[in-house]
Amino acid sequence: MEAEAPEPGPPPGGGIRAGDDLRPSRKQAKVADVRRHGQPPGLKDRRNEEHWAGRIYMRDLSPYFSWLALRLGFSPNQLTYLMMLSGIVAGVVVSLPLAGMGALWAALGGAVLIQVYLLLDCVDGEVARYLRQTSVAGVFLDRIGHYLSEVSLLIGLGFAAQGGWHSGGYVELGLVAALGAALIKAETDNVVVARAKSGLPADPAGGDRALRPRSTRIALARQAASMLRFHRIIGAVELSLLILLAAGLDVALGTGTPAATRVLAVAVAAVAVLQTLLHLISIIASRRLK
């Protein structure tokens, strides 16, 4: 989540010092040190930023891989680039022109690569915090990585539903869903841009109250949509698991066509379009632009 900045020279003994905070050097760090310095208190409680998979299992696993990355000399930027690569390759693997068990194995490969993507998304931030190398550039690269990975997976789903690397209606649905996913993220990011250009702080006053629409009806609709969580099916982790499930159903049905995968492609495109509109309305109706 954060990127590399010039690393200060180590203090005597090889530790990393900032103020009175002395921690072992990257070669001497232990997993417990990574947990202490790479996972700040309340990290798992950041509901709007921390993915549910991170809270449930990935943040328990990631310190071991962060420790390994520190020992091997990886920088936060390098880990972020690997995160991007794993997410993009996941979409390519899912799109492979295979059928039957081949398509199921491709879907499984995509799901595994997305888990690697999620792991690296945790590891780059933990390494950056441990080394005190967080930066604006790191946040930017992290955001771009999420854009690329989700777009790649949605386009891959379109080709998988089409049944090959050729144009068709399902490929177009995948492109529509990818555009919607990118626009949703752009809508969120442009709130910060609009506030910055207006000379306002990035976060509006009022905390969570500022996120709620001023209209009671819109607020209730937003709450209902949030409870249903249907928007999550266009997220990389959830979508990769749904693609795997759909591929399994296609094998079980034995119809010779990716019927379940096609149903998923239609549903994902519909959700992406609807969520793009609802998200835009929710932002305009809230206090985030005030």
Side-chain angles (χ1 to χ4, degrees):
M1 297 178 187
E2 295 85 2
E4 184 180 19
E7 185 174 354
I16 300 172
R17 184 188 297 278
D20 294 328
D21 179 14
L22 179 63
R23 60 191 66 176
S25 67
R26 63 186 307 154
K27 295 292 186 180
Q28 297 172 335
K30 296 181 173 60
V31 173
D33 297 319
V34 176
R35 291 189 193 279
R36 183 179 307 111
H37 301 291
Q39 293 187 348
L43 182 66
K44 292 184 179 181
D45 298 327
R46 302 184 306 178
R47 296 288 171 175
N48 292 330
E49 298 180 37
E50 187 70 8
H51 194 274
W52 59 264
R55 295 193 299 271
I56 293 175
Y57 63 89
M58 196 58 79
R59 285 295 181 184
D60 293 327
L61 296 176
S62 59
Y64 296 96
F65 291 90
S66 297
W67 168 82
L68 181 61
L70 287 167
R71 297 281 295 184
L72 294 176
F74 281 98
S75 71
N77 269 1
Q78 290 170 339
L79 294 166
T80 303
Y81 288 130
L82 287 174
M83 179 199 79
M84 292 182 187
L85 181 63
S86 63
I88 293 170
V89 173
V92 174
V93 170
V94 164
S95 75
L96 292 175
L98 301 171
M101 287 300 299
L104 180 58
W105 281 110
L108 178 60
V112 170
L113 283 166
I114 289 298
Q115 290 298 311
V116 173
Y117 152 84
L118 178 62
L119 173 64
L120 290 169
D121 192 27
C122 295
V123 169
D124 65 354
E126 291 172 1
V127 170
R129 282 187 288 270
Y130 190 89
L131 297 176
R132 294 190 177 274
Q133 294 180 0
T134 59
S135 70
V136 175
V139 176
F140 173 80
L141 288 173
D142 184 76
R143 297 296 299 172
I144 293 297
H146 292 308
Y147 274 68
L148 291 175
S149 300
E150 290 192 6
V151 165
S152 177
L153 192 61
L154 286 162
I155 294 174
L157 170 61
F159 280 107
Q162 191 65 39
W165 286 346
H166 51 82
S167 61
Y170 292 103
V171 174
E172 293 172 0
L173 286 175
L175 291 171
V176 168
L179 176 60
L183 285 174
I184 291 167
K185 290 185 178 298
E187 288 169 357
T188 300
D189 291 343
N190 274 286
V191 171
V192 178
V193 173
R195 292 182 64 84
K197 284 183 174 291
S198 301
L200 298 173
D203 296 322
D208 290 341
R209 287 184 64 255
L211 303 179
R212 293 196 292 267
R214 289 166 290 176
S215 167
T216 303
R217 291 182 180 180
I218 296 178
L220 289 174
R222 179 178 181 272
Q223 185 176 5
S226 179
M227 291 176 62
L228 293 173
R229 302 188 186 282
F230 70 94
H231 61 282
R232 282 190 169 178
I233 73 170
I234 60 176
V237 175
E238 293 85 354
L239 180 60
S240 67
L241 298 176
L242 288 173
I243 291 173
L244 178 59
L245 176 60
L249 286 174
D250 287 332
V251 171
L253 293 173
T255 59
T257 58
T261 301
R262 289 177 173 178
V263 171
L264 177 61
V266 173
V268 164
V271 167
V273 171
L274 181 60
Q275 182 64 13
T276 301
L277 295 174
L278 292 178
H279 192 243
L280 178 62
I281 293 171
S282 176
I283 289 173
I284 293 174
S286 71
R287 299 173 178 82
R288 279 177 276 188
L289 300 178
K290 300 296 183 181

